PDB file of all heavy atoms in Angstrom:
ATOM      1  N   LYS A  48     194.020-118.125  29.866  1.00 93.00           N
ATOM      2  CA  LYS A  48     194.726-117.399  28.805  1.00 93.00           C
ATOM      3  C   LYS A  48     195.100-118.445  27.769  1.00 93.00           C
ATOM      4  O   LYS A  48     195.839-119.378  28.066  1.00 93.00           O
ATOM      5  CB  LYS A  48     195.967-116.711  29.337  1.00 93.00           C
ATOM      6  CG  LYS A  48     196.742-116.007  28.243  1.00 93.00           C
ATOM      7  CD  LYS A  48     197.682-115.002  28.807  1.00 93.00           C
ATOM      8  CE  LYS A  48     198.574-114.424  27.741  1.00 93.00           C
ATOM      9  NZ  LYS A  48     197.971-113.530  26.855  1.00 93.00           N
ATOM     10  N   LEU A  49     194.569-118.308  26.595  1.00 93.00           N
ATOM     11  CA  LEU A  49     194.786-119.281  25.532  1.00 93.00           C
ATOM     12  C   LEU A  49     196.070-118.949  24.783  1.00 93.00           C
ATOM     13  O   LEU A  49     196.294-117.809  24.382  1.00 93.00           O
ATOM     14  CB  LEU A  49     193.605-119.269  24.566  1.00 93.00           C
ATOM     15  CG  LEU A  49     193.575-120.367  23.528  1.00 93.00           C
ATOM     16  CD1 LEU A  49     193.426-121.726  24.203  1.00 93.00           C
ATOM     17  CD2 LEU A  49     192.442-120.139  22.559  1.00 93.00           C
ATOM     18  N   ARG A  50     196.924-119.953  24.626  1.00 94.00           N
ATOM     19  CA  ARG A  50     198.155-119.775  23.850  1.00 94.00           C
ATOM     20  C   ARG A  50     197.953-120.211  22.409  1.00 94.00           C
ATOM     21  O   ARG A  50     198.452-119.575  21.496  1.00 94.00           O
ATOM     22  CB  ARG A  50     199.283-120.580  24.470  1.00 94.00           C
ATOM     23  CG  ARG A  50     199.782-119.962  25.735  1.00 94.00           C
ATOM     24  CD  ARG A  50     201.043-120.624  26.146  1.00 94.00           C
ATOM     25  NE  ARG A  50     201.672-119.844  27.203  1.00 94.00           N
ATOM     26  CZ  ARG A  50     202.783-120.185  27.776  1.00 94.00           C
ATOM     27  NH1 ARG A  50     203.408-121.281  27.410  1.00 94.00           N
ATOM     28  NH2 ARG A  50     203.295-119.443  28.721  1.00 94.00           N
ATOM     29  N   GLU A  51     197.259-121.331  22.204  1.00 93.00           N
ATOM     30  CA  GLU A  51     197.000-121.774  20.835  1.00 93.00           C
ATOM     31  C   GLU A  51     195.708-122.566  20.765  1.00 93.00           C
ATOM     32  O   GLU A  51     195.312-123.228  21.716  1.00 93.00           O
ATOM     33  CB  GLU A  51     198.164-122.570  20.259  1.00 93.00           C
ATOM     34  CG  GLU A  51     198.437-123.879  20.924  1.00 93.00           C
ATOM     35  CD  GLU A  51     199.617-124.604  20.304  1.00 93.00           C
ATOM     36  OE1 GLU A  51     199.786-124.571  19.068  1.00 93.00           O
ATOM     37  OE2 GLU A  51     200.362-125.227  21.055  1.00 93.00           O
ATOM     38  N   CYS A  52     195.081-122.449  19.632  1.00 91.00           N
ATOM     39  CA  CYS A  52     193.856-123.180  19.330  1.00 91.00           C
ATOM     40  C   CYS A  52     194.008-123.710  17.913  1.00 91.00           C
ATOM     41  O   CYS A  52     194.058-122.943  16.962  1.00 91.00           O
ATOM     42  CB  CYS A  52     192.650-122.260  19.437  1.00 91.00           C
ATOM     43  SG  CYS A  52     191.096-123.035  18.981  1.00 91.00           S
ATOM     44  N   ILE A  53     194.103-125.031  17.803  1.00 92.00           N
ATOM     45  CA  ILE A  53     194.307-125.656  16.500  1.00 92.00           C
ATOM     46  C   ILE A  53     193.078-126.484  16.156  1.00 92.00           C
ATOM     47  O   ILE A  53     192.699-127.376  16.914  1.00 92.00           O
ATOM     48  CB  ILE A  53     195.562-126.552  16.509  1.00 92.00           C
ATOM     49  CG1 ILE A  53     196.793-125.728  16.875  1.00 92.00           C
ATOM     50  CG2 ILE A  53     195.734-127.244  15.169  1.00 92.00           C
ATOM     51  CD1 ILE A  53     198.030-126.552  17.106  1.00 92.00           C
ATOM     52  N   GLN A  54     192.481-126.186  15.029  1.00 90.00           N
ATOM     53  CA  GLN A  54     191.321-126.944  14.583  1.00 90.00           C
ATOM     54  C   GLN A  54     191.804-128.087  13.718  1.00 90.00           C
ATOM     55  O   GLN A  54     192.410-127.875  12.676  1.00 90.00           O
ATOM     56  CB  GLN A  54     190.362-126.052  13.821  1.00 90.00           C
ATOM     57  CG  GLN A  54     189.747-125.003  14.701  1.00 90.00           C
ATOM     58  CD  GLN A  54     188.744-124.155  13.953  1.00 90.00           C
ATOM     59  OE1 GLN A  54     188.511-124.337  12.768  1.00 90.00           O
ATOM     60  NE2 GLN A  54     188.149-123.224  14.653  1.00 90.00           N
ATOM     61  N   ARG A  55     191.523-129.282  14.188  1.00 90.00           N
ATOM     62  CA  ARG A  55     191.881-130.477  13.431  1.00 90.00           C
ATOM     63  C   ARG A  55     190.623-131.021  12.775  1.00 90.00           C
ATOM     64  O   ARG A  55     189.543-130.464  12.928  1.00 90.00           O
ATOM     65  CB  ARG A  55     192.532-131.493  14.360  1.00 90.00           C
ATOM     66  CG  ARG A  55     193.833-130.953  14.943  1.00 90.00           C
ATOM     67  CD  ARG A  55     194.525-131.954  15.790  1.00 90.00           C
ATOM     68  NE  ARG A  55     195.805-131.409  16.244  1.00 90.00           N
ATOM     69  CZ  ARG A  55     196.433-131.824  17.310  1.00 90.00           C
ATOM     70  NH1 ARG A  55     195.931-132.806  18.040  1.00 90.00           N
ATOM     71  NH2 ARG A  55     197.570-131.282  17.664  1.00 90.00           N
ATOM     72  N   GLU A  56     190.769-132.117  12.057  1.00 88.00           N
ATOM     73  CA  GLU A  56     189.644-132.646  11.297  1.00 88.00           C
ATOM     74  C   GLU A  56     188.437-132.989  12.183  1.00 88.00           C
ATOM     75  O   GLU A  56     187.313-132.638  11.863  1.00 88.00           O
ATOM     76  CB  GLU A  56     190.086-133.890  10.530  1.00 88.00           C
ATOM     77  CG  GLU A  56     189.067-134.351   9.526  1.00 88.00           C
ATOM     78  CD  GLU A  56     189.613-135.448   8.645  1.00 88.00           C
ATOM     79  OE1 GLU A  56     190.838-135.611   8.540  1.00 88.00           O
ATOM     80  OE2 GLU A  56     188.785-136.148   8.057  1.00 88.00           O
ATOM     81  N   TYR A  57     188.670-133.682  13.290  1.00 90.00           N
ATOM     82  CA  TYR A  57     187.556-134.099  14.146  1.00 90.00           C
ATOM     83  C   TYR A  57     187.704-133.628  15.585  1.00 90.00           C
ATOM     84  O   TYR A  57     187.077-134.180  16.487  1.00 90.00           O
ATOM     85  CB  TYR A  57     187.426-135.631  14.138  1.00 90.00           C
ATOM     86  CG  TYR A  57     187.065-136.168  12.776  1.00 90.00           C
ATOM     87  CD1 TYR A  57     187.998-136.823  12.000  1.00 90.00           C
ATOM     88  CD2 TYR A  57     185.789-135.973  12.267  1.00 90.00           C
ATOM     89  CE1 TYR A  57     187.669-137.305  10.738  1.00 90.00           C
ATOM     90  CE2 TYR A  57     185.452-136.442  11.009  1.00 90.00           C
ATOM     91  CZ  TYR A  57     186.393-137.107  10.255  1.00 90.00           C
ATOM     92  OH  TYR A  57     186.070-137.575   9.010  1.00 90.00           O
ATOM     93  N   SER A  58     188.535-132.613  15.816  1.00 92.00           N
ATOM     94  CA  SER A  58     188.729-132.127  17.176  1.00 92.00           C
ATOM     95  C   SER A  58     189.285-130.703  17.165  1.00 92.00           C
ATOM     96  O   SER A  58     189.678-130.188  16.126  1.00 92.00           O
ATOM     97  CB  SER A  58     189.674-133.047  17.951  1.00 92.00           C
ATOM     98  OG  SER A  58     190.957-132.997  17.378  1.00 92.00           O
ATOM     99  N   VAL A  59     189.310-130.115  18.354  1.00 92.00           N
ATOM    100  CA  VAL A  59     189.931-128.814  18.560  1.00 92.00           C
ATOM    101  C   VAL A  59     190.962-128.988  19.665  1.00 92.00           C
ATOM    102  O   VAL A  59     190.646-129.492  20.740  1.00 92.00           O
ATOM    103  CB  VAL A  59     188.889-127.746  18.974  1.00 92.00           C
ATOM    104  CG1 VAL A  59     189.566-126.424  19.280  1.00 92.00           C
ATOM    105  CG2 VAL A  59     187.845-127.576  17.906  1.00 92.00           C
ATOM    106  N   TYR A  60     192.210-128.606  19.392  1.00 93.00           N
ATOM    107  CA  TYR A  60     193.287-128.713  20.366  1.00 93.00           C
ATOM    108  C   TYR A  60     193.478-127.345  21.010  1.00 93.00           C
ATOM    109  O   TYR A  60     193.641-126.335  20.321  1.00 93.00           O
ATOM    110  CB  TYR A  60     194.581-129.155  19.679  1.00 93.00           C
ATOM    111  CG  TYR A  60     195.770-129.171  20.604  1.00 93.00           C
ATOM    112  CD1 TYR A  60     195.951-130.199  21.514  1.00 93.00           C
ATOM    113  CD2 TYR A  60     196.703-128.145  20.570  1.00 93.00           C
ATOM    114  CE1 TYR A  60     197.035-130.216  22.373  1.00 93.00           C
ATOM    115  CE2 TYR A  60     197.794-128.150  21.421  1.00 93.00           C
ATOM    116  CZ  TYR A  60     197.954-129.192  22.315  1.00 93.00           C
ATOM    117  OH  TYR A  60     199.018-129.194  23.165  1.00 93.00           O
ATOM    118  N   LEU A  61     193.433-127.324  22.337  1.00 93.00           N
ATOM    119  CA  LEU A  61     193.587-126.085  23.093  1.00 93.00           C
ATOM    120  C   LEU A  61     194.799-126.197  24.006  1.00 93.00           C
ATOM    121  O   LEU A  61     195.015-127.227  24.630  1.00 93.00           O
ATOM    122  CB  LEU A  61     192.344-125.824  23.944  1.00 93.00           C
ATOM    123  CG  LEU A  61     191.020-125.767  23.198  1.00 93.00           C
ATOM    124  CD1 LEU A  61     189.876-125.777  24.179  1.00 93.00           C
ATOM    125  CD2 LEU A  61     190.969-124.544  22.314  1.00 93.00           C
ATOM    126  N   HIS A  62     195.560-125.123  24.090  1.00 94.00           N
ATOM    127  CA  HIS A  62     196.746-125.084  24.952  1.00 94.00           C
ATOM    128  C   HIS A  62     196.808-123.691  25.565  1.00 94.00           C
ATOM    129  O   HIS A  62     196.654-122.688  24.867  1.00 94.00           O
ATOM    130  CB  HIS A  62     197.993-125.339  24.107  1.00 94.00           C
ATOM    131  CG  HIS A  62     199.245-125.323  24.899  1.00 94.00           C
ATOM    132  ND1 HIS A  62     199.827-124.186  25.331  1.00 94.00           N
ATOM    133  CD2 HIS A  62     200.034-126.303  25.338  1.00 94.00           C
ATOM    134  CE1 HIS A  62     200.926-124.462  26.002  1.00 94.00           C
ATOM    135  NE2 HIS A  62     201.072-125.758  26.008  1.00 94.00           N
ATOM    136  N   GLY A  63     196.993-123.639  26.889  1.00 93.00           N
ATOM    137  CA  GLY A  63     197.061-122.321  27.523  1.00 93.00           C
ATOM    138  C   GLY A  63     197.303-122.414  29.010  1.00 93.00           C
ATOM    139  O   GLY A  63     197.818-123.417  29.522  1.00 93.00           O
ATOM    140  N   ILE A  64     196.907-121.344  29.709  1.00 93.00           N
ATOM    141  CA  ILE A  64     197.147-121.206  31.138  1.00 93.00           C
ATOM    142  C   ILE A  64     195.810-121.010  31.849  1.00 93.00           C
ATOM    143  O   ILE A  64     194.991-120.197  31.417  1.00 93.00           O
ATOM    144  CB  ILE A  64     198.043-119.985  31.418  1.00 93.00           C
ATOM    145  CG1 ILE A  64     199.377-120.132  30.695  1.00 93.00           C
ATOM    146  CG2 ILE A  64     198.238-119.767  32.905  1.00 93.00           C
ATOM    147  CD1 ILE A  64     200.211-118.879  30.695  1.00 93.00           C
ATOM    148  N   ILE A  65     195.636-121.748  32.948  1.00 90.00           N
ATOM    149  CA  ILE A  65     194.470-121.547  33.798  1.00 90.00           C
ATOM    150  C   ILE A  65     194.880-120.560  34.879  1.00 90.00           C
ATOM    151  O   ILE A  65     195.875-120.772  35.570  1.00 90.00           O
ATOM    152  CB  ILE A  65     193.992-122.865  34.450  1.00 90.00           C
ATOM    153  CG1 ILE A  65     193.467-123.803  33.373  1.00 90.00           C
ATOM    154  CG2 ILE A  65     192.927-122.581  35.490  1.00 90.00           C
ATOM    155  CD1 ILE A  65     193.028-125.135  33.904  1.00 90.00           C
ATOM    156  N   LYS A  66     194.126-119.492  35.020  1.00 83.00           N
ATOM    157  CA  LYS A  66     194.428-118.505  36.037  1.00 83.00           C
ATOM    158  C   LYS A  66     193.735-118.931  37.320  1.00 83.00           C
ATOM    159  O   LYS A  66     192.563-119.285  37.321  1.00 83.00           O
ATOM    160  CB  LYS A  66     193.949-117.128  35.605  1.00 83.00           C
ATOM    161  CG  LYS A  66     194.683-116.637  34.367  1.00 83.00           C
ATOM    162  CD  LYS A  66     194.278-115.263  34.007  1.00 83.00           C
ATOM    163  CE  LYS A  66     195.063-114.790  32.800  1.00 83.00           C
ATOM    164  NZ  LYS A  66     194.722-113.440  32.430  1.00 83.00           N
ATOM    165  N   TYR A  67     194.486-118.943  38.397  1.00 68.00           N
ATOM    166  CA  TYR A  67     193.936-119.406  39.665  1.00 68.00           C
ATOM    167  C   TYR A  67     192.997-118.348  40.246  1.00 68.00           C
ATOM    168  O   TYR A  67     193.288-117.166  40.260  1.00 68.00           O
ATOM    169  CB  TYR A  67     195.058-119.689  40.664  1.00 68.00           C
ATOM    170  CG  TYR A  67     195.833-120.911  40.310  1.00 68.00           C
ATOM    171  CD1 TYR A  67     197.142-120.825  39.853  1.00 68.00           C
ATOM    172  CD2 TYR A  67     195.257-122.164  40.402  1.00 68.00           C
ATOM    173  CE1 TYR A  67     197.856-121.949  39.516  1.00 68.00           C
ATOM    174  CE2 TYR A  67     195.957-123.303  40.050  1.00 68.00           C
ATOM    175  CZ  TYR A  67     197.262-123.187  39.624  1.00 68.00           C
ATOM    176  OH  TYR A  67     197.954-124.307  39.282  1.00 68.00           O
ATOM    177  N   SER A  68     191.858-118.829  40.694  1.00 53.00           N
ATOM    178  CA  SER A  68     190.880-117.960  41.350  1.00 53.00           C
ATOM    179  C   SER A  68     190.024-118.835  42.258  1.00 53.00           C
ATOM    180  O   SER A  68     190.036-120.056  42.161  1.00 53.00           O
ATOM    181  CB  SER A  68     189.987-117.267  40.306  1.00 53.00           C
ATOM    182  OG  SER A  68     189.282-118.225  39.568  1.00 53.00           O
TER     183      SER A  68
END
Side-chain angles (χ1 to χ4, degrees):
K48 177 162 173 73
L49 189 64
R50 286 191 168 179
E51 66 181 321
C52 176
I53 301 172
Q54 294 183 359
R55 297 183 176 157
E56 191 171 340
Y57 296 106
S58 65
V59 176
Y60 175 77
L61 304 169
H62 180 283
I64 301 169
I65 293 178
K66 296 184 178 181
Y67 288 110
S68 61

